[in-house]
Amino acid sequence: MGMWIAILIVLFVLGSMMALKPSGIDQRLDKLRMTARRLQLNPKLVTCPDWIKGKDNEYGRGMMGQYCLILENTNLPFTRYQVIDGQWRPDSSFVDTTTDDNKLIVPTAIRANQSNTHTAIKKPNVSLDKMPLDLPVSIEPYVKGLLTKANSIVIYWEDIAYVRPATNPAYQQKLIESDLLALKEKLEEWALQMQKIL
């Protein structure tokens, strides 16, 4: 009887230890984010912003990766872009893209707080409008949005889909760094493109 109790205790301890071990997908995701951190892409897991289509193609639903590149001595405008048909398109809640003359649509909450009627509002920077993503094929399908402000450019993407075998069967750990370097290069290129317009 004592031997059966000892066997049960050993099995219980081993089972608990196995439950603590991260899954293969979690290990891959950790490797991706650690590499991104080393390349100064500052990864974070955030709730999907309300202007981006997230889980089940619904705005603001689910979680996604936010990778932020901080550019010293840079001043970028506040802009938001979504991916539509493989191209960057300005967030339609700020820019009316139906006319040739892009207008800034000021949300009601902001208009209500404006006491000075002579406040000058700059037209939004839409220099990336209709520009193709041109990212590695293992990253591009999962990119959802881009945000720029002050000295940072932020990309929102489903980084877990990059490491999940069901969504990316061609995943290879040795390609993580080259894919992330290509992503960083494109972020720098887009930031430079936006600065030329300023």
Side-chain angles (χ1 to χ4, degrees):
M1 183 71 166
M3 188 162 123
W4 287 110
I5 293 174
I7 291 172
L8 284 175
I9 290 173
V10 168
L11 288 176
F12 178 75
V13 170
L14 285 175
S16 298
M17 288 174 32
M18 293 302 286
L20 293 175
K21 183 180 179 202
S23 70
I25 293 174
D26 289 339
Q27 290 175 6
R28 288 176 169 193
L29 191 57
D30 182 54
K31 172 74 173 161
L32 175 69
R33 290 181 180 159
M34 291 303 287
T35 304
R37 188 168 286 118
R38 187 170 44 80
L39 296 174
Q40 298 174 336
L41 285 172
N42 306 311
K44 272 200 246 182
L45 181 66
V46 297
T47 57
C48 181
D50 60 359
W51 53 276
I52 294 177
K53 288 184 180 180
K55 188 176 180 181
D56 300 328
N57 218 20
E58 292 182 27
Y59 285 98
R61 187 156 185 241
M63 304 290 284
M64 74 177 34
Q66 170 190 295
Y67 288 47
C68 175
L69 178 63
I70 297 174
L71 303 163
E72 298 298 326
N73 303 319
T74 303
N75 188 16
L76 297 171
F78 177 71
T79 58
R80 301 189 311 198
Y81 289 90
Q82 298 174 348
V83 177
I84 299 174
D85 297 328
Q87 299 176 333
W88 289 123
R89 296 308 313 266
D91 177 22
S92 59
S93 63
F94 283 106
V95 180
D96 180 5
T97 56
T98 59
T99 62
D100 289 356
D101 184 28
N102 289 322
K103 300 178 210 169
L104 180 65
I105 299 171
V106 182
T108 311
I110 295 173
R111 277 196 309 254
N113 292 331
Q114 294 292 329
S115 58
N116 184 356
T117 57
H118 302 295
T119 305
I121 299 174
K122 291 182 182 178
K123 280 188 178 181
N125 183 318
V126 292
S127 57
L128 299 183
D129 190 21
K130 297 186 180 176
M131 183 175 281
L133 269 66
D134 196 24
L135 289 167
V137 293
S138 54
I139 291 178
E140 188 169 318
Y142 313 116
V143 173
K144 300 294 183 180
L146 184 78
L147 170 78
T148 62
K149 61 181 178 178
N151 66 342
S152 61
I153 183 166
V154 179
I155 194 160
Y156 293 94
W157 69 302
E158 295 173 334
D159 57 353
I160 194 161
Y162 175 86
V163 298
R164 191 178 287 141
T167 52
N168 186 8
Y171 167 83
Q172 292 182 9
Q173 185 171 325
K174 63 184 177 184
L175 296 179
I176 289 176
E177 187 164 351
S178 61
D179 285 348
L180 290 177
L181 281 170
L183 174 63
K184 182 177 181 179
E185 184 179 307
K186 289 306 285 186
L187 289 172
E188 290 169 343
E189 181 183 317
W190 293 327
L192 185 62
Q193 177 72 27
M194 296 185 92
Q195 278 192 305
K196 285 180 184 176
I197 305 299
L198 291 177

